[in-house]
Amino acid sequence: MSRYTGPVCRLCRAEGAKLFLKGDRCYTEKCGFAKRNSKPGQHGTRRGKLSEYGIRLREKQKLRRFYGIHETQFAEIFDKASGMEGQTGHNFLQLLERRLDNVVYRLGFGVSRRQARQLVCHGHFTVNGRKLDIPSALLKVGDVVAVAEGSRDVATLKENAEASAARSIPAWLSFNVEAMSGTVVSAPVREQIDVPVNEQFVVEFYAR
């Protein structure tokens, strides 16, 4: 499967919003989006009026890039959300948040979702005591994510875990810095998901 290997700040500029794709750097004055808030390319300074379709497309792309998911997998997750009870938009965000790579990021083990995904793929985490290296695995309430025993001396993980103790962990998760583990204590609700998108536009994009 292809993957984007270019500068991630370009994606933020394309969507006209900070997507926090570079971790802590996005909160500093070195943030590429903050320094150059214009669309990439030769005609980046031209901002024409978007059509109704264009508005919904941009919201979909913004959400997909926020979580760093390929189009096919993104659409599959939406289809699953559509078959669940309740509001499709909220279900969709909840499924995206419950992915293992996102939970690892939210717990602070990765400074970005891209790094968290790589750490999961390299087998550095266990779920309920069993090693799991599938970033898209969906967690449920009560699941415990922990750094694998053989990975606790990995410098990146130790540094991130120590730094995460000072960060704000979402209320639907709990974090134990000594055990280097976290627990899904509840399903995330919309107010607990800090995603800068209008999910209803995404629903309307796929319903067209």
Side-chain angles (χ1 to χ4, degrees), residues 108-145:
F109 289 123
V111 296
S112 66
R113 288 181 177 82
R114 175 180 287 190
Q115 185 187 68
R117 187 174 302 112
Q118 184 180 51
L119 291 170
V120 171
C121 288
H122 288 180
H124 292 304
F125 292 93
T126 63
V127 175
N128 300 329
R130 299 182 64 180
K131 187 172 290 189
L132 184 59
D133 59 2
I134 303 174
S136 61
L138 289 177
L139 303 185
K140 58 183 184 298
V141 176
D143 283 347
V144 178
V145 179

Side-chain angles (χ1 to χ4, degrees), residues 11 40 105 122 166 198:
L11 301 181
Y105 165 72
H122 288 180
N198 183 334

Side-chain angles (χ1 to χ4, degrees), residues 109 124-126 145-153 157 161 179-181:
F109 289 123
H124 292 304
F125 292 93
T126 63
V145 179
V147 176
E149 195 68 35
S151 301
R152 300 202 169 192
D153 291 328
L157 287 169
M180 295 183 76
S181 68

Side-chain angles (χ1 to χ4, degrees), residues 12-28:
C12 295
R13 290 169 55 207
E15 300 307 331
K18 188 178 289 191
L19 303 180
F20 302 97
L21 303 178
K22 276 196 169 183
D24 292 341
R25 186 185 180 93
C26 297
Y27 295 94
T28 70

Side-chain angles (χ1 to χ4, degrees), residues 84-199:
M84 297 168 59
E85 294 184 359
Q87 296 184 34
T88 300
H90 292 178
N91 292 338
F92 191 29
L93 292 179
Q94 189 181 99
L95 290 177
L96 292 169
E97 282 290 303
R98 285 170 45 209
R99 284 171 53 100
L100 176 57
D101 56 356
N102 181 75
V103 172
V104 167
Y105 165 72
R106 292 292 192 188
L107 289 171
F109 289 123
V111 296
S112 66
R113 288 181 177 82
R114 175 180 287 190
Q115 185 187 68
R117 187 174 302 112
Q118 184 180 51
L119 291 170
V120 171
C121 288
H122 288 180
H124 292 304
F125 292 93
T126 63
V127 175
N128 300 329
R130 299 182 64 180
K131 187 172 290 189
L132 184 59
D133 59 2
I134 303 174
S136 61
L138 289 177
L139 303 185
K140 58 183 184 298
V141 176
D143 283 347
V144 178
V145 179
V147 176
E149 195 68 35
S151 301
R152 300 202 169 192
D153 291 328
V154 175
T156 299
L157 287 169
K158 290 178 67 176
E159 293 170 2
N160 291 349
E162 291 170 1
S164 67
R167 297 177 188 168
S168 176
I169 303 297
W172 57 279
L173 297 172
S174 66
F175 181 65
N176 186 324
V177 63
E178 289 80 14
M180 295 183 76
S181 68
T183 304
V184 181
V185 296
S186 65
V189 296
R190 182 63 181 98
E191 293 73 19
Q192 298 170 327
I193 304 174
D194 58 344
V195 180
V197 300
N198 183 334
E199 65 274 11

Side-chain angles (χ1 to χ4, degrees), residues 27-47:
Y27 295 94
T28 70
E29 59 184 15
K30 294 182 180 180
C31 173
F33 177 76
K35 291 194 295 184
R36 191 180 178 189
N37 183 9
S38 63
K39 289 192 175 183
Q42 181 179 359
H43 306 292
T45 56
R46 301 180 186 176
R47 290 183 179 272

